[in-house]
Amino acid sequence: MKVQKIMNIDPVTVNMDDTLQTVRDIFDLVNFHHLLVVHNEVLVGIVSDRDFLKAINTTLGTPLETNKDLAALNKRVHQIMSRKVVAVKEDATIFDVVKTFNDHEVSCIPVVNEHNSPVGIVSSKDVLRLLQSNMEKRIFNEHSLKKMNNDS
């Protein structure tokens, strides 16, 4: 089975020179934890919500926030992004994805085309959902087979 079956298509990307305010706005609107960083449509990095939280002060957005806290939102994505991105090609198999997860201990993997442009992203949760679905189908089939044998 190919990664296209489980990857999330059209991943959200940011540019290297976008501000952390942009990152904050995106994370406030979505229910995922990673943004792909591109330069001229080529994958160059990744920013996690953890990277973002490390770069800002925890008082941001509270009554205790200071001008210094607000200034942190003017930092640029390239200042906090992870540059060592582990990605798979769009023709990768689910086995390739699982192996990559295990070899690199990451929680998401960008999927790129032949030009290294992001075309999707796959998380460990996507793999677990596939595993659960396959197990449920197998259990259902086994149950159905037993029922057919008992009815005979």
Side-chain angles (χ1 to χ4, degrees):
M1 179 182 289
K2 298 289 185 180
V3 69
Q4 290 105 331
K5 288 279 195 180
I6 64 168
M7 73 180 189
N8 295 299
I9 58 172
D10 297 325
V12 176
T13 62
V14 292
N15 293 305
M16 292 177 62
D17 287 326
D18 284 340
T19 65
L20 295 192
Q21 178 64 55
T22 300
V23 171
R24 179 185 188 192
D25 292 344
I26 293 170
F27 280 142
D28 284 348
L29 292 173
V30 298
N31 192 27
F32 51 81
H33 307 284
H34 298 86
L35 298 173
L36 303 183
V37 184
V38 295
H39 180 69
N40 295 329
E41 298 184 26
V42 173
L43 181 66
V44 294
I46 192 164
V47 173
S48 71
D49 55 354
R50 286 171 281 174
D51 297 327
F52 172 75
L53 292 172
K54 280 191 259 181
I56 62 165
N57 194 322
T58 56
T59 60
L60 191 65
T62 71
L64 300 174
E65 82 180 5
T66 66
N67 287 338
K68 185 179 176 183
D69 299 335
L70 292 171
L73 294 175
N74 291 324
K75 284 185 181 178
R76 304 297 168 166
V77 168
H78 69 84
Q79 293 176 282
I80 70 162
M81 72 183 196
S82 299
R83 295 173 187 268
K84 294 182 181 179
V85 181
V86 176
V88 296
K89 296 291 185 190
E90 59 189 332
D91 63 347
T93 65
I94 300 300
F95 177 81
D96 297 328
V97 170
V98 170
K99 183 168 179 8
T100 302
F101 276 124
N102 288 332
D103 290 349
H104 298 280
E105 297 182 9
V106 294
S107 59
C108 77
I109 302 171
V111 180
V112 295
N113 64 17
E114 67 275 4
H115 305 293
N116 209 38
S117 295
V119 296
I121 190 166
V122 62
S123 71
S124 54
K125 287 183 181 181
D126 296 325
V127 174
L128 289 173
R129 278 188 210 101
L130 174 66
L131 180 60
Q132 178 185 357
S133 173
N134 286 346
M135 290 174 77
E136 287 171 346
K137 288 176 188 172
R138 183 174 177 180
I139 290 168
F140 176 79
N141 289 339
E142 288 174 358
H143 181 340
S144 296
L145 184 60
K146 280 183 184 178
K147 184 166 175 42
M148 285 176 34
N149 287 338
N150 288 340
D151 290 346
S152 305

